[in-house]
mmCIF file of all heavy atoms in Angstrom:
data_model
loop_
_atom_site.group_PDB
_atom_site.id
_atom_site.type_symbol
_atom_site.label_atom_id
_atom_site.label_comp_id
_atom_site.label_asym_id
_atom_site.label_seq_id
_atom_site.Cartn_x
_atom_site.Cartn_y
_atom_site.Cartn_z
ATOM 1 N N ASP A 34 105.062 -103.658 14.327
ATOM 2 C CA ASP A 34 105.525 -103.125 15.598
ATOM 3 C C ASP A 34 107.039 -103.281 15.669
ATOM 4 O O ASP A 34 107.624 -104.085 14.942
ATOM 5 C CB ASP A 34 104.849 -103.859 16.767
ATOM 6 C CG ASP A 34 104.942 -103.112 18.081
ATOM 7 O OD1 ASP A 34 105.502 -101.986 18.116
ATOM 8 O OD2 ASP A 34 104.463 -103.641 19.097
ATOM 9 N N LYS A 46 107.297 -101.756 21.310
ATOM 10 C CA LYS A 46 106.814 -100.393 21.488
ATOM 11 C C LYS A 46 105.290 -100.319 21.573
ATOM 12 O O LYS A 46 104.761 -99.348 22.063
ATOM 13 C CB LYS A 46 107.310 -99.501 20.339
ATOM 14 C CG LYS A 46 108.821 -99.317 20.296
ATOM 15 C CD LYS A 46 109.346 -98.562 21.499
ATOM 16 C CE LYS A 46 109.221 -97.080 21.282
ATOM 17 N NZ LYS A 46 109.792 -96.294 22.363
ATOM 18 N N LYS A 55 107.177 -97.732 6.609
ATOM 19 C CA LYS A 55 107.173 -96.748 7.688
ATOM 20 C C LYS A 55 107.735 -97.354 8.976
ATOM 21 O O LYS A 55 108.486 -96.707 9.700
ATOM 22 C CB LYS A 55 105.753 -96.218 7.930
ATOM 23 C CG LYS A 55 105.705 -95.121 8.970
ATOM 24 C CD LYS A 55 104.334 -94.498 9.090
ATOM 25 C CE LYS A 55 104.360 -93.384 10.130
ATOM 26 N NZ LYS A 55 103.073 -92.726 10.259
ATOM 27 N N MET A 59 111.002 -96.022 10.972
ATOM 28 C CA MET A 59 110.950 -95.651 12.394
ATOM 29 C C MET A 59 111.985 -96.431 13.192
ATOM 30 O O MET A 59 112.663 -95.868 14.065
ATOM 31 C CB MET A 59 109.552 -95.889 12.961
ATOM 32 C CG MET A 59 108.526 -94.891 12.478
ATOM 33 S SD MET A 59 106.879 -95.210 13.148
ATOM 34 C CE MET A 59 107.127 -94.809 14.875
ATOM 35 N N ILE A 63 115.075 -94.913 15.400
ATOM 36 C CA ILE A 63 115.287 -95.245 16.809
ATOM 37 C C ILE A 63 116.708 -95.758 17.011
ATOM 38 O O ILE A 63 117.401 -95.354 17.959
ATOM 39 C CB ILE A 63 114.249 -96.284 17.297
ATOM 40 C CG1 ILE A 63 112.857 -95.660 17.349
ATOM 41 C CG2 ILE A 63 114.649 -96.859 18.656
ATOM 42 C CD1 ILE A 63 111.722 -96.662 17.563
ATOM 43 N N ALA A 65 119.351 -95.136 15.173
ATOM 44 C CA ALA A 65 120.314 -94.053 14.943
ATOM 45 C C ALA A 65 120.343 -93.048 16.091
ATOM 46 O O ALA A 65 121.402 -92.560 16.477
ATOM 47 C CB ALA A 65 119.986 -93.336 13.635
ATOM 48 N N TYR A 70 115.711 -97.773 25.226
ATOM 49 C CA TYR A 70 115.615 -99.143 24.709
ATOM 50 C C TYR A 70 116.928 -99.568 24.050
ATOM 51 O O TYR A 70 117.374 -100.704 24.192
ATOM 52 C CB TYR A 70 114.483 -99.293 23.695
ATOM 53 C CG TYR A 70 113.116 -99.499 24.306
ATOM 54 C CD1 TYR A 70 112.138 -98.526 24.213
ATOM 55 C CD2 TYR A 70 112.800 -100.675 24.970
ATOM 56 C CE1 TYR A 70 110.881 -98.715 24.764
ATOM 57 C CE2 TYR A 70 111.556 -100.884 25.519
ATOM 58 C CZ TYR A 70 110.593 -99.897 25.421
ATOM 59 O OH TYR A 70 109.353 -100.095 25.967
ATOM 60 N N GLU A 73 119.369 -100.262 26.844
ATOM 61 C CA GLU A 73 118.997 -101.473 27.583
ATOM 62 C C GLU A 73 119.280 -102.746 26.785
ATOM 63 O O GLU A 73 119.674 -103.771 27.352
ATOM 64 C CB GLU A 73 117.516 -101.416 27.947
ATOM 65 C CG GLU A 73 117.046 -102.589 28.771
ATOM 66 C CD GLU A 73 115.587 -102.480 29.186
ATOM 67 O OE1 GLU A 73 114.992 -101.388 29.067
ATOM 68 O OE2 GLU A 73 115.051 -103.501 29.620
ATOM 69 N N ILE A 82 108.290 -106.529 13.321
ATOM 70 C CA ILE A 82 107.533 -107.779 13.239
ATOM 71 C C ILE A 82 106.092 -107.449 12.886
ATOM 72 O O ILE A 82 105.497 -106.541 13.472
ATOM 73 C CB ILE A 82 107.625 -108.555 14.569
ATOM 74 C CG1 ILE A 82 109.095 -108.883 14.864
ATOM 75 C CG2 ILE A 82 106.769 -109.822 14.523
ATOM 76 C CD1 ILE A 82 109.347 -109.579 16.178
ATOM 77 N N GLU A 85 101.256 -110.898 12.136
ATOM 78 C CA GLU A 85 101.182 -112.354 12.030
ATOM 79 C C GLU A 85 102.407 -113.022 12.661
ATOM 80 O O GLU A 85 102.561 -114.234 12.597
ATOM 81 C CB GLU A 85 101.045 -112.764 10.563
ATOM 82 C CG GLU A 85 99.734 -112.277 9.956
ATOM 83 C CD GLU A 85 99.631 -112.564 8.465
ATOM 84 O OE1 GLU A 85 100.634 -112.992 7.840
ATOM 85 O OE2 GLU A 85 98.536 -112.351 7.921
ATOM 86 N N ILE A 94 121.891 -104.343 17.581
ATOM 87 C CA ILE A 94 122.075 -103.079 18.307
ATOM 88 C C ILE A 94 123.519 -103.079 18.813
ATOM 89 O O ILE A 94 123.894 -103.968 19.580
ATOM 90 C CB ILE A 94 121.097 -102.952 19.490
ATOM 91 C CG1 ILE A 94 119.650 -103.001 18.994
ATOM 92 C CG2 ILE A 94 121.372 -101.669 20.273
ATOM 93 C CD1 ILE A 94 118.626 -103.094 20.104
#
Side-chain angles (χ1 to χ4, degrees):
D34 197 2
K46 295 295 276 184
K55 184 174 181 178
M59 288 179 69
I63 291 169
Y70 278 111
E73 183 177 346
I82 300 177
E85 295 175 351
I94 300 171

